[in-house]
Amino acid sequence: MRSVFSTYHPVINFGFFCVVIGTGIFMRHPVFLTAAVIAALTYSVMLGGKGTLRFVICFIIPMILIFTVVNPLVNSRGETVLFYTKYSQVTMEAVIYGLLAGFMLAAVLLWFSCYNRIMTSDKFVYLFGRIMPAVSLIFSMVMRFVPNFKMQIVKISDAQKCIGRDVSNGNWMQKARHGIKIMSIMLTWALENAIDSADSMRSRGYGLKNRSTFSIYRFDRRDASAAVFLSVMSVIVLIAAAAGKCTIEFYPEIVMSDFDLMTSIACASYIMICFFPVAVELKEVAVWKHSRSGI
């Protein structure tokens, strides 16, 4: 099923991901990181289904555990000593810092997985084609490269398998030779495809100053409401961050800013920003079920 949030104007999609990814990188407050991880995980599961769950179980959770374990082993700063190893001490501050660092990276990776599904190459070219035509074209080609690469390498492998030159044929030396041959074919295809795409865009006048463009995107009232909502919530978060209301210090001891009214409002605003796509999807499901019940 198509994502409802993807039907919003590209400005809304791009602005949302800029806010959540940017704050996810710079905000280390536990409330912000927890909200970002839960919202990103929920929305990525909505978009990717079982594939996202496998990614979380096989990669995200082990990565968080590795950060939590490795950081206190290489960083002995902190006042609250949990236990001693042969070479250093393990502190609670270092463990919590590693855990939150893992949460931060997990949130960013999950948001980027959602970004790749929502912000298609045509949306990016629409936003930056006039401002940075060359950069936007290269970026759109890079975004398409990975899925196209996966599909093409399957085709090449199947073709090579028919003539007995797949990586599953022969001894280890022959398998390595077959693998190098497949990668050589793949690299040649990628370079030719990039040249063909560049020549095609140039022949259509892409990047010329007075070139007209066709667009299917229209900024309507729904987009305006989303823009106002996200802008107001983002300004509240930025004001609170500038006032030092969402800060945390880990060394030599954990010191958080006072959880006063302004911090509470900022946290609530950030939570509403993160869960905005989820709320949009759930609202659409509720409207659909209500309309079906009336039939």
Side-chain angles (χ1 to χ4, degrees):
M1 184 177 64
R2 187 182 182 187
S3 171
V4 179
F5 184 61
S6 65
T7 62
Y8 279 71
H9 196 272
V11 171
I12 304 299
N13 297 146
F14 188 75
F16 169 80
F17 285 111
C18 285
V19 171
V20 293
I21 293 175
T23 52
I25 293 174
F26 296 105
M27 291 286 191
R28 295 296 178 89
H29 197 280
V31 176
F32 282 78
L33 288 178
T34 303
V37 170
I38 295 175
L41 176 61
T42 304
Y43 192 48
S44 59
V45 170
M46 285 182 171
L47 295 176
K50 295 181 179 179
T52 301
L53 290 178
R54 287 194 296 268
F55 173 70
V56 171
I57 295 173
C58 298
F59 182 77
I60 296 295
I61 294 178
M63 180 195 68
I64 295 175
L65 295 177
I66 290 173
F67 269 81
T68 306
V69 173
V70 171
N71 186 70
L73 295 179
V74 300
N75 183 6
S76 60
R77 291 187 298 169
E79 293 185 347
T80 308
V81 179
L82 299 178
F83 58 89
Y84 292 91
T85 63
K86 184 177 180 180
Y87 302 101
S88 64
Q89 62 182 12
V90 175
T91 63
M92 181 184 68
E93 289 80 7
V95 172
I96 295 178
Y97 183 87
L99 177 64
L100 294 181
F103 268 55
M104 181 270 293
L105 187 57
V108 172
L109 291 176
L110 290 171
W111 281 131
F112 268 114
S113 69
C114 299
Y115 175 91
N116 290 331
R117 295 177 182 273
I118 300 299
M119 282 298 298
T120 55
S121 58
D122 58 329
K123 290 183 178 181
F124 192 86
V125 172
Y126 167 77
L127 290 177
F128 300 101
R130 291 181 178 273
I131 304 173
M132 303 177 296
V135 175
S136 60
L137 177 60
I138 293 174
F139 189 81
S140 64
M141 292 173 63
V142 170
M143 289 180 63
R144 293 176 52 206
F145 179 76
V146 174
N148 289 348
F149 188 94
K150 292 170 63 177
M151 291 186 294
Q152 188 67 21
I153 202 168
V154 170
K155 295 179 181 179
I156 296 173
S157 298
D158 292 341
Q160 292 295 305
K161 187 183 296 184
C162 294
I163 57 176
R165 294 180 181 177
D166 187 54
V167 291
S168 60
N169 301 120
N171 55 35
W172 67 270
M173 183 65 71
Q174 292 173 328
K175 291 179 179 179
R177 190 180 298 114
H178 295 161
I180 294 174
K181 181 67 174 179
I182 291 174
M183 292 306 299
S184 175
I185 298 172
M186 188 66 225
L187 181 61
T188 303
W189 172 86
L191 293 175
E192 290 179 351
N193 184 63
I195 294 173
D196 290 341
S197 299
D199 290 341
S200 175
M201 297 299 287
R202 187 183 297 111
S203 65
R204 298 172 185 177
Y206 179 77
L208 296 180
K209 184 176 180 181
N210 297 323
R211 177 177 179 268
S212 60
T213 57
F214 170 77
S215 172
I216 61 174
Y217 305 110
R218 295 292 182 268
F219 198 87
D220 53 19
R221 292 183 179 179
R222 184 188 63 169
D223 299 312
S225 301
V228 171
F229 173 78
L230 293 175
S231 299
V232 171
M233 297 297 104
S234 300
V235 168
I236 293 175
V237 173
L238 290 176
I239 292 175
K245 296 296 183 178
C246 307
T247 59
I248 179 172
E249 297 291 337
F250 294 93
Y251 305 111
E253 61 179 354
I254 298 177
V255 178
M256 293 177 57
S257 58
D258 296 333
F259 204 83
D260 53 12
L261 179 60
M262 188 174 185
T263 305
S264 303
I265 295 175
C267 291
S269 300
Y270 185 71
I271 291 173
M272 286 189 285
I273 293 174
C274 291
F275 281 92
F276 177 76
V278 178
V280 169
E281 303 292 340
L282 294 179
K283 177 184 176 182
E284 186 69 16
V285 172
V287 171
W288 171 249
K289 289 184 177 180
H290 178 73
S291 61
R292 288 189 63 185
S293 63
I295 298 177

